[in-house]
Amino acid sequence: KQEVTQIPAALSVPEGENLVLNCSFTDSAIYNLQWFRQDPGKGLTSLLLIQSSQREQTSGRLNASLDKSSGRSTLYIAASQPGDSATYLCAVRPDNQGGKLIFGQGTELSVKP
Amino acid sequence: GAVVSQHPSRVICKSGTSVKIECRSLDFQATTMFWYRQFPKQSLMLMATSNEGSKATYEQGVEKDKFLINHASLTLSTLTVTSAHPEDSSFYICSARDQGGLLYNEQFFGPGTRLTVL
């Protein structure tokens, strides 16, 4: 059974810092991995999607890497800003399971001005 | 593009009543939609996979007679919580896959529906 774990559960940093969020999964048979952002009481915003054949994806100040064989992904946020404060969720799409996503518990990020 | 809407965004109901939540893909066709549930400070848990024109596939532990799913068109899926009780209070989020477009690998999420059962 696929399990997704995110570390740390919460993170507080001063504005301007570079930071790394970690995601690990137990079964390497994945189709892709996605990082999402969720603001309190809101839905999900997709940040980056990495196909299983890819190693990384970049969008602006965000960079996500994928090491499928070791079951790990990281989300790197450069020059953090208070507006980055949110919960970040990692989700894997297992192979051959109809497209459903398995989510981690999330990392709650707070960027202090 | 790739927008998913949900209605209502928030609903409060009395225990024992039924509540219907709609999930619509606004600018693409989705033969598959997913329904998730999120308790406070917890992650999303998949409840069921909704397939257009066929019965939904429920995850283990989810009561199909309590959470009725209908996916009657390529742009609309509904979740009906029947005989709701306070323990059903949660944040319900749907997602949809763009089956025919360049983004077919990706799931797009609705804004969620906050259900409170008194």
Side-chain angles (χ1 to χ4, degrees):
Chain A
K1 179 186 174 186
Q2 179 71 271
E3 292 183 0
V4 181
T5 304
Q6 290 185 248
I7 295 173
L11 183 62
S12 181
V13 300
E15 182 177 6
E17 271 203 12
N18 302 324
L19 54 98
V20 175
L21 308 182
N22 296 291
C23 172
S24 61
F25 46 96
T26 54
D27 189 340
S28 62
I30 65 169
Y31 188 81
N32 61 37
L33 181 146
Q34 240 176 309
W35 283 93
F36 295 90
R37 169 186 173 138
Q38 186 177 30
D39 292 288
K42 304 293 185 182
L44 303 185
T45 300
S46 178
L47 299 174
L48 290 165
L49 181 148
I50 311 176
Q51 300 294 350
S52 62
S53 59
Q54 297 175 326
R55 298 285 290 184
E56 66 177 345
Q57 284 286 337
T58 298
S59 176
R61 293 183 293 110
L62 305 179
N63 175 277
S65 68
L66 173 64
D67 185 341
K68 199 172 84 159
S69 60
S70 67
R72 294 178 186 174
S73 177
T74 61
L75 178 66
Y76 175 83
I77 302 177
S80 59
Q81 303 170 357
D84 295 330
S85 299
T87 295
Y88 290 80
L89 294 162
C90 164
V92 301
R93 177 181 160 182
D95 274 335
N96 303 317
Q97 291 194 32
K100 68 181 182 183
L101 298 181
I102 308 297
F103 283 85
Q105 293 292 90
T107 294
E108 188 173 355
L109 173 65
S110 176
V111 182
K112 306 294 185 184
Chain B
V3 177
V4 176
S5 70
Q6 276 185 248
H7 178 79
S9 59
R10 188 181 296 269
V11 58
I12 300 172
C13 69
K14 292 182 179 180
S15 186
T17 60
S18 294
V19 175
K20 180 185 284 188
I21 303 170
E22 293 185 349
C23 177
R24 292 182 185 273
S25 56
L26 299 185
D27 49 5
F28 64 98
Q29 294 185 331
T31 57
T32 304
M33 292 184 174
F34 302 88
W35 287 96
Y36 296 84
R37 179 174 182 175
Q38 186 179 34
F39 290 107
K41 297 293 186 182
Q42 295 188 26
S43 193
L44 280 75
M45 297 297 293
L46 179 68
M47 298 175 66
T49 302
S50 170
N51 299 296
E52 187 267 337
S54 65
K55 291 183 179 180
T57 303
Y58 290 82
E59 294 298 299
Q60 192 172 9
V62 178
E63 300 175 59
K64 62 180 181 180
D65 294 330
K66 181 167 185 62
F67 299 99
L68 301 179
I69 292 173
N70 183 278
H71 193 156
S73 78
L74 288 172
T75 60
L76 173 65
S77 175
T78 60
L79 168 68
T80 301
V81 183
T82 62
S83 187
H85 292 284
E87 59 265 29
D88 298 323
S89 298
S90 188
F91 193 52
Y92 293 86
I93 306 179
C94 72
S95 70
R97 288 173 61 194
D98 183 353
Q99 300 293 125
L102 295 176
L103 300 176
Y104 85 99
N105 282 322
E106 208 167 332
Q107 283 189 33
F108 299 94
F109 283 79
T113 296
R114 172 75 58 193
L115 170 63
T116 303
V117 185
L118 303 176

